[in-house]
Amino acid sequence: MKNFSQRLDINKAKSEYIKISDSYTLHNFLLTFSHYSPAYIVTNEDIRWVSGLTKSFGHSVLTVAGSGDQPIFYALNGAKDIDTFDISFCSKTAMDIKTAAIKKLPRTEYIKMLFDMYDSTKISGIPSVSKIFEHIPQDSKFFVKEMDEMPIFSNGLPPKDYKYILPTEDEYIKMRSNVPTQFNFIWVDLSNLHKHLTKKYDVINLSNILEYMNIQQANDIIASLRNHVQKNGYIIAQTCSCDADIKQEIFYEAANRFKKWAKVGYIKKDYKKPNSDIVAIIQKVR
């Protein structure tokens, strides 16, 4: 991968947030996905299950940074070579704080820190964050200090609604060994991601980003990633919690358009449940 070339622009970052009162600031809802849009503090995907699907062969992974849970769970499942990307720098910052905290804090304090990060705007003032601040990469540390009055980790629902995805004690112990001090990161939107890639991966996880694309956009993105997937490797093209959320028209089109080099299909977590978690996958077969 190539290092991202953008530079932090704190004035631009602050301009994305609207101050409602002395004690309340929110992100401009018209900028849903932007360079500084708030990150999720806990993923709303079953990343434990999704990352486990490719555990036996997914040693080299490119994944959305998201809440930081995506690369962390791939590391938990044994991936050694993990690169991340995201449109928002807030996602990198969330990821950097989590990787530092996993190395330094006990699990109970780590989980409390996540609850505090969601509720607080002064992130650097959270006691657990203060403890690990010197271990956070310099760019994320600078961003946290400069954005202290902004709700940069306020996307989605609070951690209490996703307790099932928080690491268990056994997982947390293993994370301490498996998670690196810092993940590689590309600061870029998905449509331009391929321009920054220099190698092939066993797994590319796009989370649910294609859900927000039309058919042409989604298939252009899939085509752009073809040369960065190992033969027999997978693109996790969409994850969701029920069949109805899968944008089937995109994958019907992909199955036809890419039939010379790919197989397109779905994997359900529980085939006996109609609303079970499901992923759309694209396997590069030649």
Side-chain angles (χ1 to χ4, degrees):
M1 62 169 278
K2 301 175 183 177
N3 290 328
F4 62 86
S5 57
Q6 298 184 68
R7 290 189 177 184
L8 279 172
D9 184 336
I10 295 300
N11 289 330
K12 184 175 184 299
K14 289 182 177 180
S15 74
E16 291 194 9
Y17 292 79
I18 302 170
K19 190 169 185 177
I20 304 300
S21 67
D22 289 342
S23 60
Y24 185 57
T25 302
L26 52 77
H27 186 255
N28 185 345
F29 68 90
L30 296 176
L31 303 171
T32 306
F33 300 110
S34 63
H35 288 151
Y36 302 102
S37 53
Y40 289 83
I41 198 61
V42 178
T43 182
N44 58 8
E45 304 166 35
D46 191 345
I47 191 59
R48 178 182 286 108
W49 170 62
V50 174
S51 61
L53 291 174
T54 54
K55 180 178 180 179
S56 63
F57 64 86
H59 307 297
S60 177
V61 174
L62 173 66
T63 179
V64 64
S67 63
D69 293 326
Q70 285 84 348
I72 287 170
F73 271 86
Y74 274 108
L76 173 67
N77 277 302
K80 301 297 184 183
D81 178 16
I82 303 174
D83 292 334
T84 69
F85 71 93
D86 212 284
I87 191 173
S88 175
F89 195 82
C90 296
S91 288
K92 179 187 188 297
T93 304
M95 179 173 68
D96 286 345
I97 292 173
K98 284 186 173 183
T99 54
I102 285 169
K103 298 290 187 182
K104 301 295 179 180
L105 302 178
R107 174 180 172 272
T108 53
E109 189 171 356
Y110 171 82
I111 291 174
K112 184 179 185 306
M113 181 192 75
L114 301 184
F115 279 70
D116 292 342
M117 287 170 66
Y118 182 85
D119 293 330
S120 175
T121 54
K122 190 172 177 58
I123 303 302
S124 66
I126 296 171
S128 297
V129 175
S130 299
K131 285 183 182 180
I132 62 168
F133 211 64
E134 64 180 294
H135 302 288
I136 299 170
Q138 187 62 39
D139 53 357
S140 288
K141 192 188 307 183
F142 172 76
F143 186 67
V144 165
K145 284 183 176 179
E146 293 295 321
M147 298 294 286
D148 249 349
E149 294 183 3
M150 312 296 162
I152 57 175
F153 304 126
S154 60
N155 211 338
L157 298 173
K160 68 180 178 64
D161 292 324
Y162 297 110
K163 285 184 177 180
Y164 72 95
I165 208 64
L166 297 172
T168 66
E169 187 66 45
D170 287 344
E171 287 174 333
Y172 196 73
I173 292 170
K174 191 173 180 180
M175 284 175 179
R176 284 192 154 179
S177 300
N178 288 21
V179 172
T181 55
Q182 184 178 352
F183 288 105
N184 298 323
F185 178 74
I186 311 171
W187 186 11
V188 69
D189 62 279
L190 182 53
S191 62
N192 289 299
L193 176 61
H194 65 284
K195 300 175 183 178
H196 298 260
L197 303 179
T198 58
K199 62 186 180 185
K200 295 184 178 183
Y201 299 89
D202 299 319
V203 179
I204 297 179
N205 187 331
L206 305 183
S207 183
N208 64 348
I209 302 174
L210 295 188
E211 179 182 331
Y212 300 92
M213 307 286 182
N214 61 40
I215 293 176
Q216 186 62 50
Q217 290 171 327
N219 284 287
D220 285 349
I221 287 169
I222 293 167
S224 75
L225 296 174
R226 174 185 177 180
N227 292 334
H228 301 288
V229 185
Q230 298 280 13
K231 184 179 178 181
N232 296 320
Y234 287 90
I235 298 174
I236 306 294
Q238 189 187 343
T239 62
C240 76
S241 57
C242 67
D243 300 14
D245 291 337
I246 285 282
K247 293 193 74 170
Q248 296 185 12
E249 66 274 14
I250 287 177
F251 303 111
Y252 287 145
E253 176 69 18
N256 181 59
R257 180 175 172 183
F258 305 129
K259 60 186 177 183
K260 290 184 177 180
W261 65 269
K263 290 182 178 179
V264 180
Y266 303 107
I267 298 176
K268 273 189 174 184
K269 184 176 181 180
D270 188 342
Y271 284 87
K272 296 179 181 179
K273 294 182 179 179
N275 292 327
S276 176
D277 289 348
I278 187 171
V279 295
I281 59 167
I282 297 169
Q283 183 181 27
K284 181 179 177 180
V285 294
R286 61 178 64 85

